[in-house]
Amino acid sequence: NARAWTIQIGAYPNTAAAREELAAYAEKSMDVLGQAERFIVPFTGANGETLYRARFGLFIEREAREVCARLTERGQTCFAALASR
């Protein structure tokens, strides 16, 4: 599946914080993100703590990079990431 890319906006200490950030980010960026799905992906940080990646997706790689570039131009932070990572 070519739509294997997401846009990550950050990693947070709990799912509630990740959900809040996704909602706030989506509100500011609906014109760019459209109806992108919201994902919260848990992972273990370097210190052994669980963090939660806040992401939008799924996109093809070029689309993820273009969307992120447009958001970055507006001062919002993000990066394109494979959904599987």
Side-chain angles (χ1 to χ4, degrees), residues 45-58:
N47 60 2
E49 276 183 65
T50 300
L51 292 169
Y52 299 85
R53 293 180 173 122
R55 295 176 166 181
F56 291 97
L58 292 165

Side-chain angles (χ1 to χ4, degrees), residues 13-83:
N14 55 58
T15 54
R19 201 173 294 118
E20 263 176 52
E21 289 301 318
L22 284 167
Y25 202 100
E27 210 170 286
K28 286 187 280 192
S29 310
M30 236 351 139
D31 57 320
V32 179
L33 290 167
Q35 295 302 308
E37 204 176 327
R38 299 171 191 181
F39 297 92
I40 297 173
V41 184
F43 75 102
T44 304
N47 60 2
E49 276 183 65
T50 300
L51 292 169
Y52 299 85
R53 293 180 173 122
R55 295 176 166 181
F56 291 97
L58 292 165
F59 304 96
I60 60 171
E61 181 180 3
R62 183 181 44 106
E63 188 181 24
R65 294 189 188 285
E66 283 172 8
V67 168
C68 215
R70 285 174 64 193
L71 294 170
T72 302
E73 280 168 18
R74 298 204 305 208
Q76 292 184 260
T77 56
C78 61
F79 63 89
L82 268 169

